[in-house]
Amino acid sequence: MRALDRLQEIAAIAQYRPGYSPEEDAAHELAAGWMREAGLETHVDAGGNLHGRRGLPRVWSGSHLDSVPTAGRFDGVLGVVAAIEAADRLSDVPLGVVAFRAEETGPHGSRRVGELPEAFVELHVEQGPVLERLGEPLGIVTGVAGQARGVVTFDGRADHAGTTPMDARDDALVEAARFVLHVRECARDGAVATVGEVEVEPNASNVVPARVRVSVDARAPTAGRLEALVAAIGFEPGTLVQPVDFSGAPLEALRQVLPGAPELVSGAGHDAMVLASAGVPVAMLFVRSLNGGVSHHPDELSSDDDVARGIDTLTAALGVLAR
Ligand SMILES: [Zn+2]
C-alpha cells in the first residue's frame, strides 16, 4: 500500500523531526511532491504550514509531520498521508490537504494558519489502548479533554537521617508521597491525573527532605468534571485549558459513514483542537493503536488493514462533506 511506503519514507528522513527544523522541512518537501502527484496545487502559508489544494476548498484534512525524539512512524504522518490519498481518490472534488508545522512543541503551525476552512477532519492514531480493548479498528472523536496543570509544594524540616527519631520528623517527601496516591484515587471514570515531576530539597541521601515540589496534570472530558477533579485533588491550576467539543457537519459526516462506531474523547491535544477553538467545525477519526496503544515510541503500531480502513472512511467522510 502506497500510504505505508510513505510513512516509511518520512521515517527514513529522521526519527526526530523537530518543528521548523531541516528534518521537518525535508518531510514537508516530500509531502509537497505527493500532493502535486495527487493533483493538488501547493503553497506555504505565513506559519510555514504546507497546503495542497484543488479548487477553492471549504473542506480540509491533514495533520502534522514533526515528531518527538522517541517517535514511531504513525503519529501525525498518517493523517497527512491519508488526506493525500483521499484527495487522490476524490479527484473531482475541491479539497484542501494541510501539513501543520510544529504540533508536538505547540501546536504552533495550526495557530498561525491565517485563513480557516468551513470544515476540518483529522485522521490520527489513537495513541491509547481504548479501541484495541474494544476490538474496534476505528473510533470517532467527539472532543478533546480539558486539562489543568499546576505545582504543589510540601514544606517539612531538614534533619539528620541518622539521629532524628521517626516520630520527630517533618518529612516533606512522605507528605508528597501520600499526595501522589491521593491524586491517583481522585481520577476515575475517564478522568486522568498524573504527578510526573518531583523536585526534592536538599535531595541528599542522608538528610530528611525539607521541601518537595510536585507537578499535577489533571484531565477530564467536560468542564464540570475537570472542575470537580481539581477540587477533589485540591490544587491551584497554573494553566487551565477548557475541554473542546467537536460538532457540526464533520462529526455528522463521520457518524454517517461509520454508523455504530465507538465515540471517544481525546486525552491528547491535536491540531484539530486549535481549529475547533478558532470556531471551525471539526471532527477526528482515530485509527486503533496496537501494542497496548504505545505512542511517542518506536513500537507505535497500527495494522495495515486498520490503516486501509481509516483511509477509506476518511475519503468517504470528505466526499460527503465536500460534495
Ligand atoms: Zn500527533
Side-chain angles (χ1 to χ4, degrees):
M1 203 190 341
R2 181 169 61 182
L4 298 171
D5 295 340
R6 288 178 169 177
L7 293 182
Q8 198 49 51
E9 279 189 66
I10 297 284
I13 293 169
Q15 179 183 25
Y16 184 28
R17 301 179 302 278
Y20 300 106
S21 69
E23 292 79 12
E24 195 200 37
D25 290 347
H28 276 238
E29 221 165 281
L30 259 185
W34 298 334
M35 286 176 180
R36 288 190 285 267
E37 268 177 52
L40 306 176
E41 274 180 43
T42 58
H43 76 275
V44 175
D45 68 24
N49 306 298
L50 169 66
H51 298 262
R53 289 188 181 178
R54 180 182 299 116
L56 289 170
R58 297 173 296 111
V59 180
W60 294 5
S61 181
S63 192
H64 62 94
L65 297 172
D66 64 316
S67 64
V68 297
T70 55
R73 287 177 297 141
F74 296 82
D75 177 3
V77 183
L78 184 59
V80 175
V81 165
I84 294 171
E85 287 296 327
D88 192 46
R89 294 183 198 177
L90 296 167
S91 56
D92 57 335
V93 170
L95 199 65
V97 177
V98 58
F100 293 112
R101 287 278 185 171
E103 191 273 343
E104 298 289 0
T105 47
H108 292 295
S110 45
R111 285 189 223 276
R112 297 174 58 200
V113 78
E115 69 178 309
L116 293 166
E118 288 173 31
F120 179 71
V121 182
E122 179 172 3
L123 177 149
H124 204 282
V125 285
E126 183 200 336
Q127 305 180 280
V130 174
L131 292 174
E132 188 180 36
R133 285 182 185 170
L134 291 173
E136 293 278 354
L138 302 173
I140 296 171
V141 185
T142 57
V144 179
Q147 183 181 6
R149 275 182 302 193
V151 174
V152 179
T153 303
F154 298 88
D155 284 307
R157 191 182 65 242
D159 264 316
H160 193 293
T163 60
T164 315
M166 294 311 285
D167 63 2
R169 297 179 180 208
D170 187 0
D171 186 326
L173 186 53
V174 170
E175 287 310 308
R178 286 199 182 98
F179 178 75
V180 172
L181 297 175
H182 163 70
V183 167
R184 186 181 64 173
E185 290 307 311
C186 289
R188 49 188 76 204
D189 302 327
V192 292
T194 307
V195 174
E197 255 180 320
V198 180
E199 234 177 79
V200 182
E201 290 176 31
N203 205 27
S205 63
N206 60 351
V207 181
V208 174
R211 170 176 272 223
V212 175
R213 271 187 227 93
V214 301
S215 64
V216 183
D217 176 319
R219 306 187 194 205
T222 67
R225 290 181 59 194
L226 183 61
E227 198 182 318
L229 178 61
V230 168
I233 292 171
F235 77 110
E236 203 55 59
T239 316
L240 186 77
V241 181
Q242 290 297 344
V244 176
D245 284 328
F246 296 160
S247 63
L251 190 58
E252 293 316 312
L254 282 178
R255 285 175 173 153
Q256 184 186 325
V257 300
L258 209 56
E263 302 201 343
L264 300 80
V265 171
S266 173
H270 292 288
D271 292 308
M273 183 180 74
V274 176
L275 269 62
S277 300
V280 178
V282 155
M284 290 185 74
L285 178 65
F286 269 175
V287 175
R288 170 166 53 190
S289 294
L290 301 176
N291 293 333
V294 67
S295 185
H296 288 184
H297 188 281
D299 290 345
E300 184 180 84
L301 185 66
S302 292
S303 76
D304 297 1
D305 279 354
D306 290 357
V307 167
R309 281 190 187 105
I311 293 171
D312 290 347
T313 303
L314 178 71
T315 305
L318 293 173
V320 167
L321 279 169
R323 278 200 173 102

